[in-house]
Amino acid sequence: MPDQFQITSSLLNAIWEIRLFLPFNIMMIPTIQSKLPQVGTSIFTVMSALATETGAINLGQGFPDFPMNAQLISLVNRAMKDGYNQYAPMPGWMPLRESIAEKIYLLYGSQVHPETDITITPGGTYAIYTALTTVLQPGDEVIIFEPAYDSYIPNVEVNGAVPVLIDLKFPGYKIDWKEVRRRISPKTRMIMLNSPHNPTGAILDEEDINELRAIVEGTNIIILSDEVYEHLIFDNIPHQSILRYPDLMKRSFVCFSFGKVYHCTGWKLGYCVSSAALTKEFRKVHQFNCFSCHTPSQIGLAEFLSDKNSYTTLGAFLQKKRDYFQDLMGQTKFTPIPSYGSYFQCYKYDRISDESDKDFAIRITKQYGVASIPVSAFYHSGKDNKVIRFCFAKKEETLEQAVEKLTKIK
Ligand code: PMP
Ligand code: GLN
């Protein structure tokens, strides 16, 4: 006699076999509950696709169109030819971590230990995601300033935490520290900062650091400082890296991108600097996600960074492009918002149109052949100050051709 278990499992087997004869639309298709139901395609992808489709000049997505440093390419090439093609150590190639520590000491006067405080990551975005995942528990609150780089809010939400959004003061995009004080709560776990800032080119100054210090002192708040545009700061203004301040450093994850500063965004390589205690936890998440990063690039970068010219000349190089672009744009009806760093310059277009920034950016891509990024995409609410962002990290001829088109907009 078959027992009840055998009968049940034969029945289930029969039902499972029958599925092959069912019409397609009632076949069982597995479904999942989206962790990010609000998220669509990023504005960078959308505008780059539109630029390609229409043959427009792409001043939207932030990437250079000029060649990267040839010496760095040959150093990476040499590492490959020399046979360095297997896994790097999980925290990163030690000579690269040593070069980074030397650079930090030289620029910011802080002692960072390559063994315990620096982790090489596949890009800045990954470093930010990993830091947030390391820290956040469901229900934790994270202060984010808007406009904000598009990965921040989804990174917080996917961890079950809650973004607390504060607008930067328009049009200078400075932090309203009084508002920060009002929005701090017992649940505040992190504050996210980004200087030089994407999309606005705003920067933090010493006063901002003092305000931050006063707010976090004696609390359990962690700082996430996105400094992927570290060296791309203009007019001889010192970069207010969190790494200058040992008291802030011990409660911070500071994230960097080689892709951004060395004009090789496609390499997706960066690093995270933190205290030994925080780094230990960061590496627990990292080792089960990507484990280690592209070995030959790390070897090439280790040697490249040992020459300080590789990073001390970058600001001036990009500043020339900003100035050139701004000069050319003087012939148009766009109004600039000052940019002190990054790849970007924002413009108001109120003397041209009162369209929404998205409509305007799409129209000028299609009609005039220049793609930009509407800044409302950096606000969760879609707040529209009628500002668009241009990337000036381009060859002079690209900037000239783009501005020639933009002057035709009346
Ligand atoms: N943060 C900001 C503000 C950025 O603009 C970028 C550029 N994509 C990143 C992080 C990420 O850098 P990466 O390409 O190295 O991931
Ligand atoms: N950081 C780049 C920008 O702001 C885009 C990177 C991406 O496409 N995710 O344009």
Side-chain angles (χ1 to χ4, degrees), residues 145-280:
F145 299 102
E146 288 194 307
Y149 183 56
D150 68 345
S151 73
Y152 297 171
I153 294 175
N155 282 187
V156 168
E157 287 178 339
V158 86
N159 281 294
V162 183
V164 173
L165 305 175
I166 299 180
D167 281 2
L168 294 170
K169 286 187 278 182
F170 183 73
Y173 297 108
K174 294 289 289 174
I175 294 178
D176 181 346
W177 290 105
K178 278 195 196 125
E179 173 76 356
V180 178
R181 281 196 165 80
R182 276 198 294 275
R183 304 287 294 279
I184 297 270
S185 88
K187 289 190 184 162
T188 308
R189 195 70 192 87
M190 288 180 104
I191 298 179
M192 294 184 77
L193 298 168
N194 173 213
S195 178
H197 185 253
N198 180 8
T200 67
I203 47 169
L204 294 179
D205 58 25
E206 229 178 317
E207 237 173 84
D208 292 309
I209 298 291
N210 290 335
E211 292 276 7
L212 176 68
R213 236 196 203 132
I215 285 175
V216 296
E217 205 178 349
T219 72
N220 204 22
I221 295 173
I222 302 281
I223 296 162
L224 184 306
S225 185
D226 176 350
E227 301 186 14
V228 299
Y229 299 101
E230 176 189 23
H231 305 301
L232 313 182
I233 185 160
F234 316 135
D235 310 316
N236 291 320
I237 302 174
H239 169 49
Q240 288 299 333
S241 175
I242 292 294
L243 301 179
R244 283 181 193 276
Y245 305 96
D247 59 322
L248 292 177
M249 221 167 86
K250 66 177 191 253
R251 60 167 77 241
S252 301
F253 292 94
V254 192
C255 300
F256 298 90
S257 167
F258 290 118
K260 283 292 178 189
V261 293
Y262 289 130
H263 314 130
C264 49
T265 59
W267 285 18
K268 292 300 287 189
L269 207 62
Y271 55 100
C272 178
V273 182
S274 193
S275 67
L278 294 179
T279 297
K280 191 171 162 214

Side-chain angles (χ1 to χ4, degrees), residues 42-45 48 59-63 125 149-151 198-199 228-229 260 265 268 343-344 373 378 389 391:
S42 100
I43 190 69
F44 310 117
T45 307
S48 281
L59 302 191
Q61 195 175 23
F63 62 88
T125 313
Y149 183 56
D150 68 345
S151 73
N198 180 8
V228 299
Y229 299 101
K260 283 292 178 189
T265 59
K268 292 300 287 189
Y343 275 179
F344 308 114
I373 300 287
F378 295 77
R389 184 195 87 177
C391 171

Side-chain angles (χ1 to χ4, degrees), residues 45-119:
T45 307
V46 170
M47 293 309 291
S48 281
L50 187 64
T52 308
E53 190 188 309
T54 57
I57 297 174
N58 192 354
L59 302 191
Q61 195 175 23
F63 62 88
D65 71 343
F66 45 84
M68 63 169 292
N69 187 289
Q71 190 206 350
L72 179 53
I73 293 182
S74 55
L75 288 170
V76 176
N77 234 309
R78 195 178 72 198
M80 284 186 191
K81 287 189 184 139
D82 287 350
Y84 291 100
N85 297 303
Q86 307 311 325
Y87 291 128
M90 179 274 282
W93 181 249
M94 186 46 109
L96 176 57
R97 287 187 275 150
E98 285 166 351
S99 296
I100 293 169
E102 274 165 33
K103 174 171 79 98
I104 292 170
Y105 184 67
L106 198 103
L107 294 180
Y108 309 123
S110 294
Q111 296 270 8
V112 160
H113 301 290
E115 187 66 58
T116 53
D117 305 350
I118 301 172
T119 310

